[in-house]
Amino acid sequence: MLLSGLLVLTLLLGGAWGPGAALAAEAADHQRLFEQALEASRQGRFAEALPLWDQVLALAPDDAAAWSNRGNVRLALGDAEAAIADQSRAAELDPSSPDPHLNRGTAEEALGRWEAAAADYAWILARDPGDASALYNLGNVLGSQGDWAAARASFEAAAAARPGFAMARSSAALAAFQLGDLATAEQALRSLIRRYPLFADARAGLTALLWRQGSRGEAESNWAAASGLDPRYRQEEWLRQTRRWPPGPVEALSQFLALA
C-alpha cells in the first residue's frame, strides 16, 4: 500500500538568504521529490522510483511514509529482505500506523514467512478488527498454511468489512469450493459475475467449478471470457504462488485446460 504522507516542518522566519529560506528550500525539494517518487511508484515505474525515494530519505531520514513507500518499491523489484528492513524502520518512526505492518506482512509472505506475516496482520487487527486489507491478507496466509476453513472465515470477514471487495468475495468462494461447499461457491461466483461481468477471477473460478460438476459447455463459455480478460489464469504456477488459489480449484481448472 503506497502511502501519501507529507513531511510537516515548522519553518523559521528569516531573510532571503537566512536559515529560514534554506529550510524552506529544503522542504520544497522534499515535497517535489516525494511527489515525483510517489507518481513513479503508482505508475509502476519502480526502477525510476527507487533512486527518487533514496533522495527523499537523504533529505528527510525520519519520513516514515518515504521508508514504507521505498519498501514497497523494493518488494516490487524483487528484494523482499530490503523491503522488510524499510518497513521495519517505518514502523519504528510511526509506531501507531498500520501501513508498515501491512506492507511488511506482504514482503514476509513473499519469502514464505507465514508466522511473521500473520503476526503483522494480527497487530493491525488487534487495533482495528475490521481492517479489510489485514483480514484478506491473513486469509491468504491461512490458506498457504492449509487451513482453508479459517481462510474462508477471514475472507468473508474482509468482504463484510469492505462492501465491494470483490477479490475477498471471490477468495471466500474458492475456499468454499476447496472445502466441498460447491453450492455456496457457485452461488457466490455467479453473484459476483452478475455484478462485475468483467471480473476474470470469478469467471475463471466458475469455469473450474462447472468443469468439476460436469457442465462443460457453460465452463467453456465462462473460460472464453476469463482468458480474454486476463491470460494469467492459464498459468498454474501463477494461480498457486501469486493469486493463491486453493489446490482444488487449481487442479480443476488445470484439468479443464488440458482437455479443452
Side-chain angles (χ1 to χ4, degrees), residues 31-59:
Q31 179 71 18
R32 174 180 54 80
L33 285 167
F34 192 105
E35 291 174 355
Q36 289 177 357
L38 193 62
E39 185 64 17
S41 300
R42 285 173 171 163
Q43 293 181 1
R45 295 183 281 115
F46 301 119
E48 178 183 337
L50 183 58
L52 289 171
W53 287 120
D54 291 342
Q55 293 177 62
V56 172
L57 288 168
L59 285 172

mmCIF file of all heavy atoms in Angstrom, residues 31-59:
data_model
loop_
_atom_site.group_PDB
_atom_site.id
_atom_site.type_symbol
_atom_site.label_atom_id
_atom_site.label_comp_id
_atom_site.label_asym_id
_atom_site.label_seq_id
_atom_site.Cartn_x
_atom_site.Cartn_y
_atom_site.Cartn_z
ATOM 1 N N GLN A 31 9.263 18.010 -0.833
ATOM 2 C CA GLN A 31 7.906 17.874 -1.354
ATOM 3 C C GLN A 31 7.914 17.490 -2.837
ATOM 4 O O GLN A 31 7.173 16.599 -3.269
ATOM 5 C CB GLN A 31 7.148 19.191 -1.159
ATOM 6 C CG GLN A 31 5.725 19.195 -1.692
ATOM 7 C CD GLN A 31 4.788 18.333 -0.873
ATOM 8 O OE1 GLN A 31 5.108 18.003 0.269
ATOM 9 N NE2 GLN A 31 3.669 17.947 -1.444
ATOM 10 N N ARG A 32 8.769 18.148 -3.605
ATOM 11 C CA ARG A 32 8.840 17.879 -5.042
ATOM 12 C C ARG A 32 9.301 16.447 -5.303
ATOM 13 O O ARG A 32 8.689 15.728 -6.108
ATOM 14 C CB ARG A 32 9.798 18.877 -5.705
ATOM 15 C CG ARG A 32 10.070 18.612 -7.186
ATOM 16 C CD ARG A 32 11.034 19.647 -7.749
ATOM 17 N NE ARG A 32 12.265 19.747 -6.973
ATOM 18 C CZ ARG A 32 13.291 18.884 -7.087
ATOM 19 N NH1 ARG A 32 13.219 17.868 -7.946
ATOM 20 N NH2 ARG A 32 14.382 19.040 -6.364
ATOM 21 N N LEU A 33 10.346 16.025 -4.613
ATOM 22 C CA LEU A 33 10.864 14.674 -4.817
ATOM 23 C C LEU A 33 9.870 13.623 -4.350
ATOM 24 O O LEU A 33 9.707 12.579 -4.988
ATOM 25 C CB LEU A 33 12.193 14.512 -4.073
ATOM 26 C CG LEU A 33 13.404 15.194 -4.709
ATOM 27 C CD1 LEU A 33 14.571 15.220 -3.726
ATOM 28 C CD2 LEU A 33 13.803 14.473 -5.994
ATOM 29 N N PHE A 34 9.186 13.891 -3.222
ATOM 30 C CA PHE A 34 8.200 12.945 -2.703
ATOM 31 C C PHE A 34 7.108 12.715 -3.743
ATOM 32 O O PHE A 34 6.721 11.576 -4.039
ATOM 33 C CB PHE A 34 7.596 13.468 -1.396
ATOM 34 C CG PHE A 34 6.795 12.447 -0.635
ATOM 35 C CD1 PHE A 34 7.305 11.855 0.506
ATOM 36 C CD2 PHE A 34 5.517 12.066 -1.051
ATOM 37 C CE1 PHE A 34 6.572 10.910 1.215
ATOM 38 C CE2 PHE A 34 4.783 11.122 -0.359
ATOM 39 C CZ PHE A 34 5.308 10.551 0.783
ATOM 40 N N GLU A 35 6.611 13.792 -4.317
ATOM 41 C CA GLU A 35 5.533 13.678 -5.297
ATOM 42 C C GLU A 35 6.004 12.956 -6.554
ATOM 43 O O GLU A 35 5.269 12.143 -7.133
ATOM 44 C CB GLU A 35 4.988 15.059 -5.635
ATOM 45 C CG GLU A 35 4.237 15.708 -4.468
ATOM 46 C CD GLU A 35 3.806 17.135 -4.752
ATOM 47 O OE1 GLU A 35 4.181 17.665 -5.826
ATOM 48 O OE2 GLU A 35 3.101 17.721 -3.910
ATOM 49 N N GLN A 36 7.237 13.229 -6.988
ATOM 50 C CA GLN A 36 7.770 12.540 -8.161
ATOM 51 C C GLN A 36 7.926 11.043 -7.887
ATOM 52 O O GLN A 36 7.584 10.205 -8.733
ATOM 53 C CB GLN A 36 9.127 13.145 -8.549
ATOM 54 C CG GLN A 36 9.035 14.546 -9.137
ATOM 55 C CD GLN A 36 10.420 15.126 -9.441
ATOM 56 O OE1 GLN A 36 11.445 14.503 -9.161
ATOM 57 N NE2 GLN A 36 10.454 16.316 -10.019
ATOM 58 N N ALA A 37 8.450 10.717 -6.723
ATOM 59 C CA ALA A 37 8.652 9.310 -6.368
ATOM 60 C C ALA A 37 7.318 8.583 -6.243
ATOM 61 O O ALA A 37 7.168 7.437 -6.692
ATOM 62 C CB ALA A 37 9.432 9.212 -5.060
ATOM 63 N N LEU A 38 6.342 9.249 -5.640
ATOM 64 C CA LEU A 38 5.033 8.633 -5.470
ATOM 65 C C LEU A 38 4.365 8.384 -6.812
ATOM 66 O O LEU A 38 3.779 7.315 -7.045
ATOM 67 C CB LEU A 38 4.157 9.530 -4.593
ATOM 68 C CG LEU A 38 2.863 8.905 -4.053
ATOM 69 C CD1 LEU A 38 3.171 7.720 -3.160
ATOM 70 C CD2 LEU A 38 2.050 9.949 -3.292
ATOM 71 N N GLU A 39 4.469 9.347 -7.720
ATOM 72 C CA GLU A 39 3.865 9.179 -9.040
ATOM 73 C C GLU A 39 4.530 8.042 -9.809
ATOM 74 O O GLU A 39 3.850 7.233 -10.458
ATOM 75 C CB GLU A 39 3.968 10.486 -9.827
ATOM 76 C CG GLU A 39 3.267 10.460 -11.177
ATOM 77 C CD GLU A 39 1.771 10.291 -11.063
ATOM 78 O OE1 GLU A 39 1.210 10.520 -9.960
ATOM 79 O OE2 GLU A 39 1.147 9.916 -12.071
ATOM 80 N N ALA A 40 5.856 7.967 -9.759
ATOM 81 C CA ALA A 40 6.555 6.878 -10.447
ATOM 82 C C ALA A 40 6.151 5.526 -9.857
ATOM 83 O O ALA A 40 5.964 4.545 -10.586
ATOM 84 C CB ALA A 40 8.064 7.075 -10.341
ATOM 85 N N SER A 41 5.991 5.477 -8.540
ATOM 86 C CA SER A 41 5.584 4.228 -7.882
ATOM 87 C C SER A 41 4.182 3.831 -8.308
ATOM 88 O O SER A 41 3.914 2.670 -8.618
ATOM 89 C CB SER A 41 5.641 4.394 -6.360
ATOM 90 O OG SER A 41 6.942 4.725 -5.935
ATOM 91 N N ARG A 42 3.274 4.777 -8.305
ATOM 92 C CA ARG A 42 1.889 4.487 -8.686
ATOM 93 C C ARG A 42 1.779 3.999 -10.122
ATOM 94 O O ARG A 42 0.921 3.191 -10.452
ATOM 95 C CB ARG A 42 1.032 5.742 -8.503
ATOM 96 C CG ARG A 42 0.710 6.060 -7.053
ATOM 97 C CD ARG A 42 0.014 7.399 -6.927
ATOM 98 N NE ARG A 42 -0.478 7.628 -5.580
ATOM 99 C CZ ARG A 42 -0.833 8.817 -5.098
ATOM 100 N NH1 ARG A 42 -0.747 9.893 -5.877
ATOM 101 N NH2 ARG A 42 -1.278 8.937 -3.870
ATOM 102 N N GLN A 43 2.644 4.498 -10.982
ATOM 103 C CA GLN A 43 2.615 4.111 -12.395
ATOM 104 C C GLN A 43 3.411 2.842 -12.681
ATOM 105 O O GLN A 43 3.491 2.416 -13.829
ATOM 106 C CB GLN A 43 3.139 5.260 -13.256
ATOM 107 C CG GLN A 43 2.242 6.492 -13.248
ATOM 108 C CD GLN A 43 2.753 7.613 -14.129
ATOM 109 O OE1 GLN A 43 3.793 7.480 -14.777
ATOM 110 N NE2 GLN A 43 2.036 8.722 -14.159
ATOM 111 N N GLY A 44 3.996 2.243 -11.625
ATOM 112 C CA GLY A 44 4.744 1.012 -11.816
ATOM 113 C C GLY A 44 6.132 1.196 -12.392
ATOM 114 O O GLY A 44 6.762 0.229 -12.825
ATOM 115 N N ARG A 45 6.644 2.418 -12.372
ATOM 116 C CA ARG A 45 7.994 2.685 -12.877
ATOM 117 C C ARG A 45 8.971 2.552 -11.699
ATOM 118 O O ARG A 45 9.554 3.518 -11.233
ATOM 119 C CB ARG A 45 8.048 4.079 -13.505
ATOM 120 C CG ARG A 45 7.178 4.199 -14.756
ATOM 121 C CD ARG A 45 7.277 5.568 -15.418
ATOM 122 N NE ARG A 45 6.464 6.572 -14.740
ATOM 123 C CZ ARG A 45 6.915 7.631 -14.108
ATOM 124 N NH1 ARG A 45 8.221 7.845 -14.009
ATOM 125 N NH2 ARG A 45 6.091 8.499 -13.545
ATOM 126 N N PHE A 46 9.137 1.318 -11.241
ATOM 127 C CA PHE A 46 9.826 1.087 -9.977
ATOM 128 C C PHE A 46 11.325 1.376 -10.045
ATOM 129 O O PHE A 46 11.904 1.887 -9.079
ATOM 130 C CB PHE A 46 9.581 -0.345 -9.508
ATOM 131 C CG PHE A 46 8.115 -0.652 -9.318
ATOM 132 C CD1 PHE A 46 7.504 -1.647 -10.054
ATOM 133 C CD2 PHE A 46 7.349 0.074 -8.416
ATOM 134 C CE1 PHE A 46 6.159 -1.930 -9.886
ATOM 135 C CE2 PHE A 46 5.999 -0.196 -8.249
ATOM 136 C CZ PHE A 46 5.394 -1.203 -8.987
ATOM 137 N N ALA A 47 11.961 1.042 -11.155
ATOM 138 C CA ALA A 47 13.395 1.318 -11.282
ATOM 139 C C ALA A 47 13.669 2.816 -11.239
ATOM 140 O O ALA A 47 14.726 3.252 -10.762
ATOM 141 C CB ALA A 47 13.936 0.713 -12.574
ATOM 142 N N GLU A 48 12.733 3.597 -11.730
ATOM 143 C CA GLU A 48 12.856 5.052 -11.666
ATOM 144 C C GLU A 48 12.500 5.574 -10.274
ATOM 145 O O GLU A 48 13.091 6.548 -9.792
ATOM 146 C CB GLU A 48 11.928 5.670 -12.707
ATOM 147 C CG GLU A 48 11.914 7.181 -12.727
ATOM 148 C CD GLU A 48 10.908 7.730 -13.734
ATOM 149 O OE1 GLU A 48 10.556 7.009 -14.687
ATOM 150 O OE2 GLU A 48 10.470 8.894 -13.554
ATOM 151 N N ALA A 49 11.550 4.920 -9.633
ATOM 152 C CA ALA A 49 11.083 5.394 -8.326
ATOM 153 C C ALA A 49 12.126 5.187 -7.223
ATOM 154 O O ALA A 49 12.252 6.026 -6.321
ATOM 155 C CB ALA A 49 9.780 4.686 -7.945
ATOM 156 N N LEU A 50 12.876 4.093 -7.303
ATOM 157 C CA LEU A 50 13.788 3.766 -6.202
ATOM 158 C C LEU A 50 14.804 4.870 -5.917
ATOM 159 O O LEU A 50 14.932 5.305 -4.761
ATOM 160 C CB LEU A 50 14.483 2.435 -6.486
ATOM 161 C CG LEU A 50 15.417 1.936 -5.381
ATOM 162 C CD1 LEU A 50 14.682 1.781 -4.062
ATOM 163 C CD2 LEU A 50 16.061 0.613 -5.794
ATOM 164 N N PRO A 51 15.553 5.376 -6.902
ATOM 165 C CA PRO A 51 16.507 6.452 -6.584
ATOM 166 C C PRO A 51 15.825 7.738 -6.136
ATOM 167 O O PRO A 51 16.417 8.523 -5.381
ATOM 168 C CB PRO A 51 17.278 6.652 -7.899
ATOM 169 C CG PRO A 51 16.423 6.054 -8.956
ATOM 170 C CD PRO A 51 15.686 4.941 -8.308
ATOM 171 N N LEU A 52 14.590 7.952 -6.566
ATOM 172 C CA LEU A 52 13.864 9.125 -6.089
ATOM 173 C C LEU A 52 13.560 8.997 -4.598
ATOM 174 O O LEU A 52 13.711 9.955 -3.836
ATOM 175 C CB LEU A 52 12.570 9.306 -6.888
ATOM 176 C CG LEU A 52 12.737 9.758 -8.342
ATOM 177 C CD1 LEU A 52 11.407 9.673 -9.076
ATOM 178 C CD2 LEU A 52 13.293 11.181 -8.404
ATOM 179 N N TRP A 53 13.136 7.788 -4.176
ATOM 180 C CA TRP A 53 12.901 7.592 -2.734
ATOM 181 C C TRP A 53 14.205 7.716 -1.957
ATOM 182 O O TRP A 53 14.215 8.217 -0.822
ATOM 183 C CB TRP A 53 12.241 6.241 -2.474
ATOM 184 C CG TRP A 53 10.803 6.176 -2.888
ATOM 185 C CD1 TRP A 53 10.232 5.338 -3.792
ATOM 186 C CD2 TRP A 53 9.735 7.013 -2.403
ATOM 187 N NE1 TRP A 53 8.894 5.600 -3.910
ATOM 188 C CE2 TRP A 53 8.566 6.610 -3.063
ATOM 189 C CE3 TRP A 53 9.672 8.049 -1.466
ATOM 190 C CZ2 TRP A 53 7.317 7.212 -2.828
ATOM 191 C CZ3 TRP A 53 8.447 8.665 -1.234
ATOM 192 C CH2 TRP A 53 7.290 8.245 -1.904
ATOM 193 N N ASP A 54 15.308 7.260 -2.547
ATOM 194 C CA ASP A 54 16.612 7.437 -1.888
ATOM 195 C C ASP A 54 16.893 8.919 -1.647
ATOM 196 O O ASP A 54 17.380 9.304 -0.570
ATOM 197 C CB ASP A 54 17.729 6.843 -2.755
ATOM 198 C CG ASP A 54 17.685 5.325 -2.829
ATOM 199 O OD1 ASP A 54 17.038 4.703 -1.971
ATOM 200 O OD2 ASP A 54 18.302 4.767 -3.765
ATOM 201 N N GLN A 55 16.580 9.741 -2.625
ATOM 202 C CA GLN A 55 16.805 11.179 -2.482
ATOM 203 C C GLN A 55 15.881 11.784 -1.430
ATOM 204 O O GLN A 55 16.291 12.659 -0.656
ATOM 205 C CB GLN A 55 16.595 11.870 -3.825
ATOM 206 C CG GLN A 55 17.627 11.517 -4.890
ATOM 207 C CD GLN A 55 17.319 12.191 -6.210
ATOM 208 O OE1 GLN A 55 17.304 13.417 -6.317
ATOM 209 N NE2 GLN A 55 17.067 11.394 -7.242
ATOM 210 N N VAL A 56 14.626 11.332 -1.401
ATOM 211 C CA VAL A 56 13.695 11.821 -0.376
ATOM 212 C C VAL A 56 14.239 11.520 1.012
ATOM 213 O O VAL A 56 14.252 12.385 1.901
ATOM 214 C CB VAL A 56 12.304 11.182 -0.556
ATOM 215 C CG1 VAL A 56 11.392 11.535 0.624
ATOM 216 C CG2 VAL A 56 11.659 11.630 -1.854
ATOM 217 N N LEU A 57 14.736 10.305 1.202
ATOM 218 C CA LEU A 57 15.219 9.906 2.522
ATOM 219 C C LEU A 57 16.536 10.580 2.877
ATOM 220 O O LEU A 57 16.841 10.779 4.053
ATOM 221 C CB LEU A 57 15.352 8.387 2.588
ATOM 222 C CG LEU A 57 13.999 7.664 2.625
ATOM 223 C CD1 LEU A 57 14.172 6.171 2.388
ATOM 224 C CD2 LEU A 57 13.305 7.912 3.958
ATOM 225 N N ALA A 58 17.327 10.938 1.873
ATOM 226 C CA ALA A 58 18.548 11.702 2.152
ATOM 227 C C ALA A 58 18.199 13.072 2.714
ATOM 228 O O ALA A 58 18.903 13.601 3.587
ATOM 229 C CB ALA A 58 19.375 11.839 0.881
ATOM 230 N N LEU A 59 17.101 13.656 2.236
ATOM 231 C CA LEU A 59 16.645 14.957 2.739
ATOM 232 C C LEU A 59 15.898 14.834 4.056
ATOM 233 O O LEU A 59 15.982 15.725 4.904
ATOM 234 C CB LEU A 59 15.728 15.623 1.697
ATOM 235 C CG LEU A 59 16.380 16.220 0.461
ATOM 236 C CD1 LEU A 59 15.306 16.662 -0.531
ATOM 237 C CD2 LEU A 59 17.267 17.409 0.835
#
